[in-house]
Amino acid sequence: MYPTLLIDFITGKQVQKLYDKYTETQWYSESDIRAYQLDKLKSLIQHCYVNVPYYSKIMRQLGMIPSDINSLKDINVFPILDKPKIKENYSDFFPLNAKKFKGIKHGQTGGTTGNSLLKRNDAITRSSVWASYRRFCNWMDVGYDDWNVLIKGVHVLPPSYKDRVKQSIYEYLRKTVTIDAYRGNLANLQQLGEEIRKHDYRLVRGYSQAIYEVARLANERGLKFAVKAVSTTAEPLLPEYRPVIRDAFGCEVYDQYGCGEIGGIAYECDKHQGLHVTEERVLVETNDKNEVLLTDLDNFVMPFIRYWNGDEVEIASQKCTCGRNSKVIKKIRGRTSDYLFGINGAKVHWGYIFHLLWDTRMALQRNFVKFQLVQISPYELVFRHVSDPLTTEDMDIIIKTTHSKLGDMKLTFVKESDIECSASGKYRWVENRLITK
């Protein structure tokens, strides 16, 4: 508890307080959950009506006032929100009373539709996300403050000295060691082995594909790791991944689902019958295509009401046998992309190119709408982009950083009016045609 309270004190968050609440609410009856959600929804709508110009205008056009919200279904009159609509009205999403909120942070997010978006949240919103994650740790029988390994993509460009110091302090307090998913599977496997010998790690978490690749390589080499749980996120946890990861780490695999705009949305309990929606902080609807519509009940500094993120889910018809009454997502069809194969033998996670465009600020400066890196042969890549024209310097940066990871491969740039989705209906940042040939 004490590291959590210390982090709360330093960062201005309230993770401990909300975790205590969510530990209680996880056992609420369905009617109690709905009442809890409705109270938060009413507060959100009242705030939006008074302080958020975009929603003030929407509600006036609909001829409604906050007191018209008497059930969760009453928000169905709100139009569907998506990234293009937010970007078109971006300044109108900034609340007039922003100064009252503590710890407002800005960031960026990508997504399955390919559009990037500048987002905002405050300390309370982040507290709610981390409180739900801490409860998830209980479900995995690991401590929120136990040593853990995080396998994820890190920034392509080196962060500032100040940011490195802040990150080091945070990771020390959270007992977290980060392994760069973009570095290469063999190097990651070696670092993982070294780290696990140093500390009593109980949890390995991170990108589903990256963890799977490390586990597959470990199994091929006869290496085994003893941890309490593995947690996967950011990409679909395919059925064939579970036995491979379970074999390498000697434990169960727990999936979680979220998106950059909202944060943690759903988590898997020890019954493994689907992912429990964190209904204390988010409303989850689906449209006629089973695509997710999300309402963030915590984020008052950039409200998302009925936000379409492009993911398709299947909601379970029955409750989980664990006894919790929250809605359960049985299947998720989220973002999927391929690895890139280098001429130098490297195998690079698809997220690398996304981080490159954001770290260099190219995505913002050139107004990127979509991009896609296509591997058409062992020696050739095509960079497709829907954006303003790239400069010679832009292309040199992409070529140089790509060569540093994959070797001296040919890279062709193609400016497009649009980039189509795959046959599955999902947009892919990276498409490796060698895999499908």
Side-chain angles (χ1 to χ4, degrees), residues 111 295 323 356 384-385 411 424:
T295 298
L356 167 64
R384 306 172 66 198
H385 59 101
L411 185 56
S424 67

Side-chain angles (χ1 to χ4, degrees), residues 167-236:
Q167 186 65 23
S168 296
I169 293 172
Y170 179 78
E171 290 189 351
Y172 175 78
L173 292 173
R174 284 294 317 277
K175 296 183 179 178
T176 297
V177 171
T178 299
I179 293 178
D180 183 4
Y182 303 155
R183 192 176 56 166
N185 297 320
L186 179 57
N188 288 342
L189 177 62
Q190 292 170 340
Q191 184 181 353
L192 181 63
E194 293 170 2
E195 292 295 341
I196 286 181
R197 284 191 291 271
K198 291 180 185 177
H199 299 287
D200 180 23
Y201 286 94
R202 292 174 60 83
L203 176 65
V204 173
R205 59 193 178 99
Y207 294 173
S208 302
Q209 282 182 283
I211 292 177
Y212 165 74
E213 290 291 342
V214 169
R216 182 182 59 79
L217 191 57
N219 289 336
E220 289 177 357
R221 295 174 176 239
L223 302 175
K224 303 296 177 186
F225 304 103
V227 297
K228 188 68 177 180
V230 172
S231 167
T232 55
T233 190
E235 305 152 316

Side-chain angles (χ1 to χ4, degrees), residues 44-83:
L44 175 67
I45 297 299
Q46 176 66 40
H47 163 74
C48 288
Y49 182 74
V50 175
N51 297 297
V52 184
Y54 174 80
Y55 285 112
S56 298
K57 179 180 178 181
I58 291 293
M59 294 178 72
R60 287 198 304 270
Q61 291 174 342
L62 293 172
M64 66 181 297
I65 56 176
S67 60
D68 291 333
I69 301 295
N70 296 302
S71 75
L72 298 176
K73 292 183 179 180
D74 288 338
I75 64 167
N76 291 349
V77 297
F78 280 80
I80 304 301
L81 184 67
D82 58 18
K83 286 180 183 175

Side-chain angles (χ1 to χ4, degrees), residues 19-28 135 280:
Y19 163 73
D20 291 341
K21 182 63 178 179
Y22 293 171
T23 301
E24 172 192 348
T25 55
Q26 68 179 321
W27 303 114
Y28 272 11
R135 183 175 67 180
E280 296 90 342

Side-chain angles (χ1 to χ4, degrees), residues 299-356:
N299 194 346
F300 281 38
V301 298
M302 189 171 182
F304 291 91
I305 298 177
R306 309 196 76 210
Y307 175 68
W308 177 88
N309 74 348
D311 289 343
E312 181 182 329
V313 302
E314 179 183 339
I315 304 296
S317 58
Q318 297 181 328
K319 301 295 183 184
C320 180
T321 58
C322 69
R324 299 176 181 90
N325 291 297
S326 50
K327 186 177 294 184
V328 172
I329 298 176
K330 186 176 181 180
K331 186 179 297 185
I332 302 164
R333 194 179 69 161
R335 74 206 87 170
T336 55
S337 286
D338 300 327
Y339 270 74
L340 293 165
F341 300 154
I343 195 172
N344 59 1
K347 189 176 183 181
V348 177
H349 190 277
W350 55 266
Y352 179 78
I353 189 65
F354 173 77
H355 269 115
L356 167 64

